[in-house]
Amino acid sequence: MNDPSAPSPTPSPAPRSANDLAQERTDLAIDRTVMAADRSLMAWVRTGLSMISFGFTIYKIIEGFTQQGGQVHSASMARNVGLFLTGLGTVAVVMGTVEYWYRLKGLRRDRPNLRILQPSLVMALVMSVAGVLMFLGIVSRVL
């Protein structure tokens, strides 16, 4: 009846306390919040990069037309729109980066070992610096 070669049933794991389960759920919630903050930051960076590149493109096209002796009726308006979009995109990236930084600093209160220097933050910082430099480059040529 009892086969000695049959595997013995595995012992059930020791029951976990309610505090352990609550801590595990809190950790998972913090992980989900960090991932949501990463996605939000990347959306800010995508939106800002689109505005920066579109504004820079408008500015460069109008500048190319005027350098070739072409007549553009509203060169200053197109230049101003390009400058505005470049500035607005830069502000969007910087605002998203600052918001992300504060969000992660707030989460560090609950999880002190949380890494703030996430890859998405590094990319946002690079895009912020690039946007500021591009904006300043356009402003220096306009003035």
Side-chain angles (χ1 to χ4, degrees):
M1 300 246 220
N2 285 340
D3 185 11
S5 64
S8 62
T10 59
S12 62
R16 296 179 0 189
S17 72
N19 286 340
D20 290 341
L21 292 172
Q23 183 60 42
E24 181 180 329
R25 289 183 187 123
T26 301
D27 288 343
L28 290 174
I30 291 172
D31 288 341
R32 285 190 298 270
T33 304
V34 169
M35 288 186 283
D38 285 344
R39 287 189 300 271
S40 295
L41 178 60
M42 289 292 96
W44 276 107
V45 169
R46 272 192 313 271
T47 302
L49 181 60
S50 297
M51 287 191 282
I52 290 169
S53 61
F54 188 61
F56 187 71
T57 302
I58 289 173
Y59 173 76
K60 290 305 277 183
I61 287 174
I62 297 302
E63 182 183 57
F65 283 151
T66 57
Q67 284 179 354
Q68 292 179 357
Q71 291 291 329
V72 180
H73 293 292
S74 59
S76 64
M77 185 179 104
R79 182 181 59 225
N80 292 341
V81 167
L83 186 61
F84 174 74
L85 285 174
T86 304
L88 189 64
T90 301
V91 168
V93 173
V94 170
M95 284 175 42
T97 303
V98 169
E99 189 272 334
Y100 179 82
W101 177 265
Y102 283 117
R103 172 89 48 203
L104 287 188
K105 277 185 71 172
L107 288 173
R108 279 191 92 176
R109 281 181 269 146
D110 294 328
R111 187 190 282 176
N113 62 346
L114 179 69
R115 240 180 2 135
I116 287 188
L117 197 61
Q118 302 285 339
S120 53
L121 179 61
V122 172
M123 285 305 300
L125 290 172
V126 168
M127 293 307 304
S128 296
V129 169
V132 167
L133 292 176
M134 194 175 298
F135 181 74
L136 292 176
I138 292 174
V139 168
S140 69
R141 289 181 146 214
V142 168
L143 299 178

